[in-house]
Coordinates of all heavy atoms in Angstrom, one line a residue:
K1 N -22.2 -5.2 16.3 CA -21.0 -4.5 16.8 C -19.7 -5.2 16.4 O -18.8 -4.5 15.9 CB -21.1 -4.3 18.3 CG -20.1 -3.4 18.9 CD -20.3 -3.2 20.4 CE -19.3 -2.3 21.0 NZ -19.5 -2.2 22.5
A2 N -19.7 -6.5 16.6 CA -18.5 -7.3 16.2 C -18.3 -7.2 14.7 O -17.1 -7.1 14.2 CB -18.6 -8.7 16.7
Q3 N -19.3 -7.3 13.9 CA -19.2 -7.2 12.4 C -18.7 -5.9 12.0 O -17.8 -5.8 11.1 CB -20.5 -7.5 11.8 CG -21.0 -9.0 11.8 CD -22.4 -9.2 11.3 OE1 -23.2 -8.3 11.3 NE2 -22.6 -10.4 10.7
N4 N -19.1 -4.8 12.7 CA -18.6 -3.5 12.3 C -17.1 -3.4 12.7 O -16.4 -2.8 11.9 CB -19.4 -2.4 13.1 CG -20.8 -2.2 12.6 OD1 -21.1 -2.6 11.4 ND2 -21.7 -1.7 13.4
Q5 N -16.7 -4.0 13.7 CA -15.3 -4.0 14.1 C -14.5 -4.8 13.1 O -13.4 -4.3 12.7 CB -15.1 -4.6 15.5 CG -15.6 -3.7 16.6 CD -15.5 -4.3 18.0 OE1 -15.5 -5.5 18.1 NE2 -15.5 -3.5 19.0
L6 N -15.0 -5.9 12.6 CA -14.3 -6.7 11.6 C -14.2 -5.9 10.3 O -13.2 -5.9 9.6 CB -15.0 -8.0 11.4 CG -14.9 -9.0 12.5 CD1 -15.7 -10.2 12.2 CD2 -13.4 -9.5 12.7
R7 N -15.3 -5.2 9.9 CA -15.3 -4.4 8.7 C -14.3 -3.2 8.8 O -13.6 -2.9 7.8 CB -16.7 -3.8 8.4 CG -17.6 -4.8 7.7 CD -18.8 -4.1 7.2 NE -19.9 -5.0 7.3 CZ -20.9 -5.0 8.2 NH1 -20.9 -4.0 9.1 NH2 -21.8 -5.9 8.2
E8 N -14.2 -2.6 10.0 CA -13.2 -1.5 10.2 C -11.8 -2.1 10.1 O -10.9 -1.4 9.5 CB -13.4 -0.9 11.5 CG -12.5 0.3 11.8 CD -12.7 1.4 10.8 OE1 -13.8 1.7 10.3 OE2 -11.6 2.1 10.6
L9 N -11.5 -3.2 10.6 CA -10.2 -3.8 10.5 C -9.9 -4.2 9.1 O -8.8 -3.9 8.6 CB -10.1 -5.1 11.4 CG -8.8 -5.9 11.3 CD1 -7.6 -5.0 11.7 CD2 -8.9 -7.1 12.2
E10 N -10.8 -4.7 8.3 CA -10.6 -5.0 6.9 C -10.3 -3.7 6.1 O -9.5 -3.6 5.3 CB -11.8 -5.7 6.3 CG -11.6 -6.1 4.9 CD -12.8 -6.8 4.3 OE1 -13.9 -6.8 4.8 OE2 -12.6 -7.5 3.3
K11 N -11.1 -2.6 6.5 CA -10.8 -1.3 5.8 C -9.4 -0.8 6.1 O -8.7 -0.4 5.2 CB -11.9 -0.3 6.4 CG -11.9 1.0 5.7 CD -13.0 1.8 6.4 CE -12.9 3.3 5.9 NZ -14.0 4.1 6.5
Q12 N -8.9 -1.0 7.3 CA -7.6 -0.6 7.7 C -6.5 -1.4 6.9 O -5.5 -0.9 6.4 CB -7.3 -0.7 9.2 CG -8.1 0.3 10.0 CD -8.0 0.0 11.5 OE1 -7.3 -0.9 11.9 NE2 -8.8 0.8 12.3
L13 N -6.8 -2.7 6.8 CA -5.9 -3.6 6.0 C -5.8 -3.2 4.6 O -4.8 -3.2 3.9 CB -6.3 -5.1 6.2 CG -6.0 -5.6 7.6 CD1 -6.6 -7.0 7.7 CD2 -4.6 -5.6 8.0
E14 N -7.0 -2.9 4.0 CA -7.1 -2.5 2.6 C -6.3 -1.2 2.4 O -5.7 -1.0 1.4 CB -8.5 -2.4 2.1 CG -9.2 -3.8 2.0 CD -8.7 -4.7 0.9 OE1 -8.0 -4.2 0.0 OE2 -9.0 -5.9 1.0
Q15 N -6.5 -0.3 3.3 CA -5.7 1.0 3.2 C -4.2 0.8 3.3 O -3.5 1.4 2.5 CB -6.2 1.9 4.4 CG -5.5 3.3 4.3 CD -5.7 4.1 3.1 OE1 -6.8 4.0 2.5 NE2 -4.7 4.8 2.6
R16 N -3.8 -0.1 4.2 CA -2.4 -0.4 4.2 C -1.9 -1.1 2.9 O -0.8 -0.8 2.5 CB -2.1 -1.4 5.4 CG -0.6 -1.7 5.6 CD 0.2 -0.5 5.9 NE 1.6 -0.9 6.0 CZ 2.6 -0.1 5.6 NH1 2.4 1.0 5.1 NH2 3.8 -0.6 5.6
K17 N -2.7 -1.9 2.3 CA -2.4 -2.5 1.1 C -2.2 -1.5 0.0 O -1.2 -1.6 -0.8 CB -3.5 -3.5 0.7 CG -3.3 -4.3 -0.6 CD -4.5 -5.2 -0.8 CE -4.4 -5.9 -2.2 NZ -5.6 -6.7 -2.4
K18 N -3.0 -0.5 0.0 CA -2.9 0.6 -1.0 C -1.6 1.4 -0.8 O -0.8 1.7 -1.7 CB -4.0 1.6 -0.9 CG -5.3 1.1 -1.5 CD -6.4 2.1 -1.3 CE -7.8 1.5 -1.8 NZ -8.9 2.4 -1.6
E19 N -1.3 1.6 0.5 CA 0.0 2.3 0.9 C 1.2 1.5 0.4 O 2.1 2.1 -0.1 CB 0.1 2.6 2.4 CG -1.0 3.6 2.9 CD -1.0 3.6 4.4 OE1 -0.3 2.8 5.1 OE2 -1.9 4.3 4.9
L20 N 1.2 0.2 0.6 CA 2.3 -0.6 0.2 C 2.4 -0.6 -1.4 O 3.6 -0.6 -1.9 CB 2.1 -2.0 0.7 CG 2.3 -2.2 2.2 CD1 1.9 -3.6 2.6 CD2 3.8 -1.9 2.6
T21 N 1.3 -0.6 -2.0 CA 1.4 -0.6 -3.5 C 2.1 0.7 -4.0 O 2.9 0.7 -4.9 CB 0.0 -0.7 -4.1 OG1 -0.6 -2.0 -3.7 CG2 0.0 -0.6 -5.6
T22 N 1.7 1.8 -3.3 CA 2.3 3.1 -3.7 C 3.8 3.1 -3.4 O 4.6 3.5 -4.2 CB 1.6 4.2 -2.9 OG1 0.2 4.2 -3.2 CG2 2.2 5.6 -3.1
Q23 N 4.2 2.5 -2.2 CA 5.6 2.4 -1.8 C 6.3 1.5 -2.8 O 7.5 1.8 -3.2 CB 5.7 1.8 -0.4 CG 5.3 2.8 0.7 CD 5.4 2.1 2.0 OE1 5.9 1.0 2.2 NE2 4.9 2.8 3.0
E24 N 5.7 0.4 -3.3 CA 6.3 -0.5 -4.2 C 6.6 0.2 -5.5 O 7.7 0.1 -6.1 CB 5.5 -1.7 -4.4 CG 6.1 -2.7 -5.4 CD 5.2 -3.9 -5.7 OE1 3.9 -3.7 -5.6 OE2 5.7 -5.0 -5.9
L25 N 5.6 1.0 -6.0 CA 5.8 1.7 -7.2 C 6.9 2.8 -7.1 O 7.7 2.9 -8.0 CB 4.5 2.4 -7.6 CG 3.3 1.5 -8.1 CD1 2.0 2.2 -8.2 CD2 3.7 0.7 -9.3
E26 N 7.0 3.4 -6.0 CA 8.0 4.4 -5.8 C 9.4 3.7 -5.7 O 10.4 4.2 -6.3 CB 7.8 5.2 -4.5 CG 8.8 6.2 -4.1 CD 8.9 7.3 -5.2 OE1 8.0 7.5 -6.0 OE2 10.0 8.0 -5.2
A27 N 9.5 2.6 -5.1 CA 10.8 1.9 -5.0 C 11.2 1.4 -6.4 O 12.4 1.5 -6.7 CB 10.6 0.7 -4.1
E28 N 10.3 1.0 -7.2 CA 10.6 0.6 -8.6 C 11.0 1.8 -9.4 O 12.0 1.7 -10.2 CB 9.4 -0.1 -9.2 CG 9.1 -1.5 -8.7 CD 7.8 -2.1 -9.2 OE1 7.0 -1.4 -9.8 OE2 7.6 -3.3 -9.0
R29 N 10.4 2.9 -9.2 CA 10.8 4.1 -9.9 C 12.2 4.5 -9.5 O 13.0 4.9 -10.4 CB 9.8 5.3 -9.6 CG 10.0 6.5 -10.4 CD 9.3 7.7 -9.9 NE 9.8 8.1 -8.6 CZ 10.9 8.8 -8.3 NH1 11.8 9.0 -9.3 NH2 11.3 9.1 -7.1
M30 N 12.5 4.5 -8.2 CA 13.8 4.8 -7.8 C 14.9 3.9 -8.3 O 16.0 4.3 -8.7 CB 13.8 4.8 -6.2 CG 13.1 6.0 -5.6 SD 12.9 5.9 -3.8 CE 14.6 5.9 -3.3
Y31 N 14.5 2.6 -8.4 CA 15.4 1.6 -9.0 C 15.7 1.9 -10.5 O 16.9 1.9 -10.9 CB 14.9 0.2 -8.8 CG 15.6 -0.8 -9.7 CD1 16.9 -1.2 -9.5 CD2 14.9 -1.3 -10.8 CE1 17.5 -2.1 -10.3 CE2 15.5 -2.3 -11.6 CZ 16.8 -2.6 -11.4 OH 17.5 -3.5 -12.2
R32 N 14.7 2.2 -11.2 CA 14.8 2.5 -12.6 C 15.7 3.8 -12.8 O 16.5 3.9 -13.7 CB 13.5 2.7 -13.3 CG 12.8 1.4 -13.6 CD 11.6 1.5 -14.5 NE 10.6 2.4 -14.0 CZ 9.6 2.2 -13.2 NH1 9.5 1.0 -12.7 NH2 8.7 3.1 -12.8
E33 N 15.4 4.8 -12.0 CA 16.2 6.0 -12.0 C 17.7 5.7 -11.7 O 18.6 6.2 -12.4 CB 15.6 7.0 -11.0 CG 16.3 8.4 -11.0 CD 16.2 9.1 -12.3 OE1 15.2 8.9 -13.1 OE2 17.0 10.0 -12.5
A34 N 18.0 4.9 -10.7 CA 19.3 4.5 -10.4 C 20.0 3.8 -11.5 O 21.2 4.0 -11.8 CB 19.4 3.7 -9.1
Q35 N 19.3 2.9 -12.2 CA 19.8 2.2 -13.3 C 20.1 3.1 -14.5 O 21.1 3.0 -15.1 CB 18.8 1.2 -13.8 CG 18.9 -0.2 -13.1 CD 18.0 -1.2 -13.8 OE1 16.9 -0.9 -14.3 NE2 18.4 -2.4 -13.8
R36 N 19.2 4.1 -14.7 CA 19.4 5.0 -15.8 C 20.7 5.9 -15.5 O 21.5 6.1 -16.4 CB 18.2 6.0 -15.9 CG 18.3 6.9 -17.1 CD 17.1 7.9 -17.1 NE 17.1 8.8 -16.0 CZ 17.9 9.8 -15.8 NH1 18.9 10.1 -16.7 NH2 17.8 10.6 -14.7
I37 N 20.9 6.3 -14.3 CA 22.1 7.1 -13.9 C 23.3 6.2 -14.1 O 24.3 6.7 -14.6 CB 21.9 7.6 -12.5 CG1 20.8 8.7 -12.5 CG2 23.3 8.2 -12.0 CD1 20.5 9.2 -11.1

């Protein structure tokens, strides 16, 4: 049961990591767009 809880927490952290990567890419895109303008 404890191992399953740890795996679920790891899964949530990995999902958050993916979300942050997406946000980072979007922030970089916005920066490039602002520079172009």
Side-chain angles (χ1 to χ4, degrees):
K1 188 175 178 181
Q3 286 174 332
N4 287 338
Q5 290 173 338
L6 289 173
R7 277 191 214 106
E8 183 60 33
L9 179 57
E10 183 177 21
K11 186 177 171 182
Q12 291 171 5
L13 291 174
E14 290 293 343
Q15 180 61 37
R16 182 64 183 141
K17 183 178 173 183
K18 287 178 186 179
E19 291 168 2
L20 287 172
T21 299
T22 301
Q23 289 176 8
E24 181 182 31
L25 293 172
E26 180 62 18
E28 288 173 348
R29 187 195 64 74
M30 289 172 58
Y31 164 69
R32 286 192 303 276
E33 182 66 19
Q35 273 188 327
R36 187 186 61 76
I37 291 171

